[in-house]
Amino acid sequence: LWRVPFKTGANRNVLTPVLDGGDHVLFASYTTGLRRVAVKAEGSKVQAAQVWLNPALKINLATPVLVGRHLYGHGPDKDFVCVEADTGTIRWRQTGFNQYASTIASETRLLVLNDAGEVLLLEANPDRYRELGRFQACGKTFCHPAYAHGVLYTRDSRELAAWPLKSRFCVRSVLVSKSPIGIVWPSTVASLNCTSCSFLTEVSASLLAWVRS
């Protein structure tokens, strides 16, 4: 139906396009930067036109998430960034994020897994970077985590881990122990600091039954 040129000098485009409503798409290239494209029907044809391009946001591997009118995700300079979706303006940048960090969003909370295997709980705040807590989930990883039915799943080169979370990414007291098949289920407590919410540790019987089966 439509296409736009999207050449890159890296011989690859890794990021997944981000849909914004029914008529805008955001995507990034490692060599050209982050851009916004508007898609519009004109008679029997569909036209796509670039709205803005920010060449400073040459994001390599990690797809950002859209929360409200802002994008959050790993930036090009080993940082974490917040970007206005309508204009491409960078609202803030936070250093210390190494080569990769993947992001999952739920309302006003972000779960970020960095390449050192740490899970960070962040507030999706366009005004400033705010970290609410963190814990060590796995070893070095470039795998995107998955979140379903209150459980966060992480993977490194050695094992798959299931981390039970409750109440929109509350993870203060995480129950951990390694099973013979590399799945993690509750046994001992590893704590982390949180500044705003209670972190719960309930695990459903169905999850444990699935892990042990």
Side-chain angles (χ1 to χ4, degrees):
L1 296 176
W2 61 271
R3 64 173 63 191
V4 292
F6 193 41
K7 296 182 179 180
T8 174
N11 296 319
R12 55 176 166 73
N13 286 312
V14 180
L15 273 66
T16 301
V18 178
L19 296 179
D20 184 3
D23 55 359
H24 285 82
V25 184
L26 299 115
F27 48 92
S29 165
Y30 183 51
T31 53
T32 60
L34 180 66
R35 69 186 67 193
R36 180 184 182 92
V37 169
V39 181
K40 181 172 63 174
E42 295 183 352
S44 61
K45 296 183 179 180
V46 179
Q47 301 292 334
Q50 182 172 291
V51 177
W52 54 257
L53 168 67
N54 188 333
L57 290 169
K58 296 179 174 67
I59 303 172
N60 186 13
L61 298 173
T63 301
V65 296
L66 181 65
V67 180
R69 303 309 311 145
H70 296 86
L71 292 161
Y72 299 87
H74 190 256
D77 299 314
K78 297 182 179 181
D79 52 6
F80 198 87
V81 299
C82 172
V83 180
E84 290 182 1
D86 295 325
T87 65
T89 303
I90 300 173
R91 292 294 300 267
W92 51 256
R93 310 179 83 140
Q94 178 69 30
T95 59
F97 277 81
N98 298 326
Q99 294 179 314
Y100 177 76
S102 51
T103 306
I104 300 174
S106 176
E107 298 182 20
T108 60
R109 295 288 185 266
L110 307 173
L111 272 181
V112 180
L113 175 64
N114 64 25
D115 58 6
E118 290 181 303
V119 171
L120 287 71
L121 179 66
L122 307 181
E123 182 180 47
N125 187 336
D127 297 321
R128 64 187 179 99
Y129 174 87
R130 187 183 181 206
E131 181 178 321
L132 304 177
R134 67 170 65 196
F135 70 94
Q136 190 72 41
C138 59
K140 185 175 179 63
T141 183
F142 279 75
C143 297
H144 199 291
Y147 180 79
H149 305 294
V151 181
L152 176 71
Y153 299 91
T154 62
R155 185 171 70 87
D156 59 19
S157 60
R158 298 176 295 109
E159 64 186 12
L160 171 69
W163 301 90
L165 310 179
K166 295 270 294 183
S167 303
R168 288 193 305 113
F169 297 162
C170 289
V171 291
R172 182 173 186 179
S173 296
V174 180
L175 300 177
V176 173
S177 124
K178 296 177 182 176
S179 77
I181 58 173
I183 303 291
V184 173
W185 70 59
S187 175
T188 57
V189 176
S191 296
L192 65 101
N193 294 322
C194 174
T195 58
S196 69
C197 58
S198 298
F199 283 53
L200 306 178
T201 58
E202 296 181 11
V203 182
S204 67
S206 60
L207 171 64
L208 294 181
W210 172 80
V211 169
R212 289 174 173 142
S213 63

